[in-house]
Amino acid sequence: MSESSQSRPVKVTVTGAAGNIAYSLLWRIASGDVFGKDVPVELALLEIPAATRAAEGVAMELGDSAFPLLCGITVTDSADTAFDGANAAFLVGAKPRGKGMERADLLAENGRIFGPQGKAIGEHAASDIKVVVVGNPANTNALIAAHHAQDVPAERFTALMRLDHNRALSQLAQKLDCQVGDLSRVAVWGNHSATQFPDLTFAEVAGSPVDVDQSWYTDEFIPRVAKRGAEIIDVRGSSSAASAASAAVDHMRDWVQGSDGWATAAVVSDGSYGVDEGLIAGFPTIARDGRYEIVQGLELSDFQRQRIEASVAELRAEREAVGDLLG
Ligand code: NAD
Ligand code: LMR
C-alpha cells in the first residue's frame, strides 16, 4: 500500500465552485499544493442552485485530471452538506465588483451570504476547521461568518490579503531588479481595499534593509499595490482570478504547513498595533504550528500609524454598516 493511501483525507470545502477563481484553485488543491504531496483530499463544492450543473461540469473535469490525491468530490447547494466534516474551507462564492465599483459596494449583497455559511460551519465542520474568506469585501465577510459560527474560535476565520502581499513583492522585485524570493519582511496592513497599507519599512532584500526613495514608495508603490485589483479589472476586463487562487493556495498552505518568515494574512485582531480587537485586519504574520501569529514588538512610526489607522477606520465603518448581520 502506498503512503498516500494510508493517510487520512483532508476534507476541503470550496464555495463558488463554478466561478472563475475556483476554476484555478480547485486544481491546485487537488494536486497537493496546499495540504501536502502525500495528503489525500476530498472536495465539497458548494454553489447556488442555478450553478450546480456548471459545478458538476467542473467536478467532471477534476475527475478527468486523474489526480492521485483526489479521493472524492461532492457537489451541492446545501451549506450543511458542503461543510459537513470540513477541515478547511475556501469561501470564494460571492459577486465580484465591476469597473468603477469599490469592494465595499458589494457589502450589502455579498454580506448576507456569509452568516448562513458561518452558521453551517459552526454546526457541521470538523473541530480543526480553518477558513479563508476570498469573496469581497473579504475582511468584513469573514467577520460576519465568524460571528455566526457558534463554538468555533474566531482565529479560525481569516480573510485573503496574501494577494496584496504578493502584489507588493512583485512590484518591489521589479523596482529593485531582484527575485521575489530575495525579499522578506514585507507586510500589508488593514483592509483588502484601496485604503490598505503595503508597508516596506521593515523590508529586506537578501537580508539587508531595502532602500527606495520616499516619493516612489508613497506616490507609486503604495497606490499601485492598493489599487491593483481595479487595474486588473480595467485591463483584463474582469476581476483577478488565477492570481487570487494562487494567493489563496499560499495562504492556506502556510497556515497548514508553516511559513518561511513573514507573510500577510487578515486575522482577528487581539488589539495589537492599535487595531480594534475583533476586527479582521491584515497584519505581518508568521504561520507556525497550525496558527497565524501576529508579528509582535515592531516599533511603528507616525507615518505607519496614520496609514494603519486610515484602513482600520474603514473596517470599523464596514462593521457598522453590517450591524444588522452581526446582531
Ligand atoms: P465569479 O462570479 O466568477 O464566481 C463566483 C461564484 O460564486 C459564482 O459561480 C456564483 O454562482 C457563486 N456564488 C454566489 N453566491 C454563492 C453562495 N451563496 N454560495 C455558493 N456559491 C455562490 O467570481 P470570482 O471571480 O470567482 O470571484 C469571487 C469573489 O472573490 C468575488 O467577490 C471577488 O471580488 C473576490 N475576490 C477576492 C480577492 C481577494 O484577494 N480577497 C481576489 C479576487 C477576487
Ligand atoms: C482583487 O484584489 O483583485 C480582488 O479583490 C478583486 C477586486 O475587486 O479588486
Side-chain angles (χ1 to χ4, degrees), residues 1 42 74 80 96 99 109 122 137 144 156-157 161 188 190 202 214 219 255 264 268 273 276 280 289 318 320:
M1 200 188 249
E42 220 179 292
T74 304
D80 291 353
K99 281 188 192 184
E109 204 170 332
I144 296 167
R156 302 294 181 72
F157 285 83
M161 286 186 63
V188 184
F202 308 108
Q214 190 66 20
D219 302 342
W255 196 355
T264 300
V268 63
Y273 303 108
D276 310 23
I280 294 189
D289 303 327
E318 286 185 14
E320 246 181 77

Side-chain angles (χ1 to χ4, degrees), residues 15-16 18-21 46-48 51 92-97 110 113 117 134-136 138 160 163 192 239-240 244:
T15 75
N20 282 303
I21 293 175
L46 179 66
E47 258 298 349
I48 55 172
V92 181
K95 199 174 161 185
R97 66 172 163 158
N110 285 346
I113 294 172
Q117 290 186 358
V134 177
N136 277 320
L160 186 68
L163 179 55
H192 176 60
S239 160
S240 66

Side-chain angles (χ1 to χ4, degrees), residues 14-23 45-52 54-55 76-77 79 83 91-98 103 106 109-110 112-114 116-117 132-139 141 159-164 167 192 229 233 236 238-245 247-248:
V14 177
T15 75
N20 282 303
I21 293 175
Y23 203 58
L45 312 186
L46 179 66
E47 258 298 349
I48 55 172
T52 47
T76 180
D77 61 5
F83 293 113
L91 306 192
V92 181
K95 199 174 161 185
R97 66 172 163 158
R103 298 181 187 97
L106 298 167
E109 204 170 332
N110 285 346
R112 60 190 76 255
I113 294 172
F114 291 86
Q117 290 186 358
V132 57
V133 175
V134 177
N136 277 320
N139 303 52
N141 288 338
L160 186 68
M161 286 186 63
R162 188 62 172 263
L163 179 55
D164 308 292
R167 287 167 172 165
H192 176 60
I233 290 170
R236 183 175 180 263
S238 58
S239 160
S240 66
S243 57

Side-chain angles (χ1 to χ4, degrees), residues 168-192:
L169 291 177
S170 169
Q171 292 298 323
L172 184 60
Q174 285 173 50
K175 173 73 174 173
L176 300 179
D177 196 17
C178 72
Q179 300 300 309
V180 161
D182 296 334
L183 299 171
S184 56
R185 292 168 65 87
V186 168
V188 184
W189 301 82
N191 199 1
H192 176 60

